Amino acid sequence: MLIKMIVCFFAGMGAGLGTGFAGMSAAAAITPMLIAFLGMEAYQAVGIALASDVLASAVSAWTYGKNKNLDIKNGAVMMTAVLSFTLVGSYVSSLVPNQAMGGFSMFMTLLMGIKFMVRPVMTTKEKSEGTDAKTRFVRSVLSGALVGFICGFVGAGGGMMMLLVLTSLLGYDLKTAVGTSVFIMTFTAFTGSVSHFAIGGIGDTASLVLCVASTLFWARIAARFANKAEPEVLNRATGAVLTVLGLAIILVNYF
């Protein structure tokens, strides 16, 4: 039980910091740790990770929204497209198996971390809001479709893909991008966790409670810090968190 508590605490820490700072899915940190250190079945580990993601993303989204760093209107549009095309991606993936893309999420986390440290996102909120409503709506739909299809096809990477799309393609400043990303992830994680538990059951209740509590605690701390930080500091902090998490996840899975 002590080992379980330690593993869940650090898994939740990594997931919570990743969620609060960068809108990263908790599944990217929690799933590999539960499998590697507790010998848990992958399906059950993903269910626990998704459940941990729900409250962590919700409290992060609330914190970003309170600080006016959340675009609910376009986020809802993008979320609808993400959920719809995740189903399409899952169906195509079942027809065309592609094992080579299994490590996509892990390496993307590392690369995104390096990117934020080397080339920080310094777009201002005023500049990002300059795009007309119609253009942003169309971009939100197309971006959501792309993210959803890739997530469904690969099975992971949603948070990272959304952050990349929101900052690079939609021109959001980093804080609004993370706030909008965790808003979307709240609903996608809830849908995924309900589906997992309905099909496979809850399983290890102790690990579930411990991971949810730890992830929620650290996500709250990270989100509060992120909303008060200067853009350059936030970029460096986000990059550092993602780089460390990416390296840790790769080490757990390949060594």
Side-chain angles (χ1 to χ4, degrees):
M1 186 62 187
L2 179 59
I3 294 176
K4 181 180 293 187
M5 291 177 66
I6 293 173
V7 171
C8 290
F9 175 80
F10 283 105
M13 178 190 290
L17 292 176
T19 299
F21 274 121
M24 189 183 83
S25 171
I30 292 178
T31 302
M33 290 191 69
L34 294 183
I35 294 172
F37 297 112
L38 298 182
M40 192 176 291
E41 291 183 4
Y43 193 86
Q44 183 181 353
V46 171
I48 291 175
L50 288 170
S52 301
D53 213 357
V54 177
L55 290 179
S57 293
V59 75
S60 296
W62 180 80
T63 303
Y64 278 91
K66 188 173 67 172
N67 288 275
K68 304 185 185 303
N69 292 315
L70 170 60
D71 184 356
I72 294 180
K73 182 178 179 181
N74 290 290
V77 171
M78 189 175 179
M79 177 182 66
T80 302
V82 168
L83 292 174
S84 300
F85 277 83
T86 296
L87 298 176
V88 176
S90 296
Y91 177 70
V92 173
S93 179
S94 68
L95 299 177
V96 188
N98 191 345
Q99 301 299 324
M101 295 184 73
F104 176 81
S105 178
M106 291 179 278
F107 289 101
M108 186 174 181
T109 301
L110 175 61
L111 293 175
M112 284 286 286
I114 296 173
K115 185 263 181 190
F116 278 116
M117 288 192 290
V118 176
R119 296 190 61 185
V121 177
M122 300 303 290
T123 304
T124 62
K125 185 175 294 187
E126 290 73 20
K127 183 178 179 180
S128 68
E129 290 176 348
T131 308
D132 65 272
K134 183 178 179 181
T135 300
R136 180 165 288 193
F137 176 85
V138 173
R139 288 180 179 178
S140 296
V141 172
L142 294 177
S143 299
L146 174 64
V147 171
F149 181 82
I150 291 175
C151 291
F153 189 77
V154 178
M160 288 296 91
M161 281 297 300
M162 275 189 279
L163 186 62
L164 179 63
V165 165
L166 289 169
T167 54
S168 300
L169 298 184
L170 296 182
Y172 280 60
D173 63 284
L174 184 56
K175 291 183 181 180
T176 304
V178 175
T180 305
S181 177
V182 290
F183 168 75
I184 296 171
M185 289 302 296
T186 301
F187 297 94
T188 56
F190 177 76
T191 303
S193 62
V194 170
S195 174
H196 266 70
F197 292 147
I199 295 172
I202 294 179
D204 191 341
T205 307
S207 294
L208 172 64
V209 173
L210 290 169
C211 284
V212 168
S214 180
T215 306
L216 178 61
F217 175 76
W218 289 105
R220 174 67 170 150
I221 291 176
R224 292 184 66 179
F225 173 83
N227 278 278
K228 294 179 181 179
E230 293 296 322
E232 186 172 355
V233 174
L234 179 58
N235 272 273
R236 305 300 183 197
T238 300
V241 169
L242 292 179
T243 300
V244 171
L245 284 174
L247 287 171
I249 294 166
I250 291 172
L251 289 172
V252 167
N253 279 271
Y254 293 102
F255 295 97

